[in-house]
Amino acid sequence: MRILSIQSLVSYGHVGNSAAVFPLQRIGVDVMPVPTVCFSNHTGYGAWSGPMLSGDNVRDIVSGIEDRGGLENVDAVLSGYQGGNDIGDAILDAVARVKKHSPNAIYACDPVLGNATSGCHVSPEVQDLIRDRVVPHADLIAPNQFELGFITGTSPDSLSSTLEAADKARAIGPRTILVKNVVRPDRDPDTVEMLAVTDDGAWIVQTPQLPGKANGSGDVTTALFTAHLLRSGDAADALARTAASVFELLEITAASGQRELQLIAAQEAYANPSMRFTPTKVR
């Protein structure tokens, strides 16, 4: 399996490609990482160093890959945070190039917009870009519940309303929706839930909620789910494997007392997930 992953790169810590690439490689995926920024660390620290790449920089890298024949036999294009129209246009151009050479490739997009606590934390330009131009071109999207609501103009706050919002998103373009954080009033407050919706049905999986917040865990989640779904074609299996791997990664990170994901220490969780969480079919 081969994936072109267009995301941010940090040298210290793990977000974007610095979070997604190694877990994918550990499960046997050939990853071609393309950076959108080259920062010392993620911006959550409040200070960082390094350059932002332009859309033309991204196009140049993808063009060089294309010249080597690297866009043949690609299974997916994966993208995360998009800083503006410049990068967004370059990613959409890369998707078109890949599908020209690999017609069966999918575009898997993590539509990073914000969360229910702080609202949208990207510019209005990026909000419009994601909702109006990126999502319609995606085959798979992996929003949180807030982002799903923003994309569809809804306010999902229950399982039924989240399923309805997922159907509205699927009507826009993507056939597969992974909702990475479903919050509903009848859920055990000490748990976290993810929902996958495809043409074949909908499944939800529940795991215990661990203390703390680790930047980059969403990037790992999207990457692993995309790869597992491509490999098996079974959304329930992909959801179970992803939930098991990410939970163990977060468990190891919490036990370490470190702020950054313990991506290397948890590597067996990607290759041999414990499969301790069983998704429930809800439709």
Side-chain angles (χ1 to χ4, degrees):
M1 183 184 301
R2 176 181 285 181
I3 291 178
L4 179 71
S5 183
I6 309 175
Q7 302 193 58
S8 55
L9 170 70
V10 297
S11 296
Y12 178 81
H14 303 289
V15 298
N17 269 338
S18 300
V21 172
F22 177 67
L24 288 174
Q25 291 173 329
R26 190 64 180 81
I27 64 172
V29 178
D30 180 10
V31 188
M32 297 180 289
V34 177
T36 54
V37 304
C38 294
F39 286 168
S40 55
N41 51 269
H42 68 72
T43 58
Y45 283 96
W48 62 93
S49 301
M52 297 181 63
L53 276 70
S54 69
D56 285 341
N57 293 147
V58 171
R59 286 188 183 88
D60 286 345
I61 295 170
V62 174
S63 179
I65 296 171
E66 184 177 34
D67 290 343
R68 306 284 82 76
L71 300 188
E72 304 284 348
N73 302 313
V74 172
D75 295 280
V77 179
L78 180 64
S79 74
Y81 171 74
Q82 300 186 25
N85 284 334
D86 189 35
I87 292 294
D89 287 338
I91 291 172
L92 291 175
D93 181 60
V95 171
R97 288 192 190 206
V98 166
K99 291 194 173 189
K100 176 183 175 182
H101 295 279
S102 303
N104 293 325
I106 70 165
Y107 172 30
C109 170
D110 188 344
V112 180
L113 293 164
N115 55 63
T117 302
S118 58
C120 278
H121 53 60
V122 297
S123 68
E125 173 190 282
V126 174
Q127 294 172 32
D128 293 343
L129 166 71
I130 296 294
R131 182 189 57 224
D132 301 332
R133 298 175 53 218
V134 172
V135 169
H137 284 89
D139 300 288
L140 182 160
I141 61 171
N144 59 37
Q145 194 175 33
F146 168 82
E147 291 162 341
L148 177 65
F150 181 88
I151 289 164
T152 57
T154 62
S155 300
D157 59 359
S158 65
L159 179 57
S160 61
S161 62
T162 303
L163 285 167
E164 289 173 4
D167 286 340
K168 287 189 175 183
R170 294 175 74 239
I172 296 170
R175 302 310 303 161
T176 300
I177 313 294
L178 174 67
V179 187
K180 290 185 292 192
N181 184 18
V182 178
V183 179
R184 51 184 176 132
D186 53 343
R187 164 185 130 264
D188 183 333
D190 295 323
T191 63
V192 175
E193 292 180 320
M194 289 195 297
L195 173 73
V197 184
T198 73
D199 289 339
D200 297 323
W203 295 264
I204 197 163
V205 67
Q206 187 178 86
T207 67
Q209 184 164 22
L210 293 167
K213 178 184 181 297
N215 294 87
S217 58
D219 301 316
V220 176
T221 300
T222 303
L224 288 177
F225 180 80
T226 299
H228 288 313
L229 184 63
L230 283 169
R231 184 164 284 163
S232 70
D234 184 333
D237 177 74
L239 192 61
R241 290 181 181 278
T242 302
S245 295
V246 174
F247 180 80
E248 189 168 345
L249 167 62
L250 293 176
E251 201 173 35
I252 290 171
T253 300
S256 75
Q258 300 297 308
R259 174 173 179 171
E260 296 293 341
L261 286 175
Q262 298 302 292
L263 205 68
I264 309 304
Q267 61 181 289
E268 279 304 305
Y270 324 136
N272 299 294
S274 61
M275 303 298 286
R276 49 182 148 166
F277 307 112
T278 302
T280 300
K281 190 166 188 179
V282 291
R283 192 174 67 195

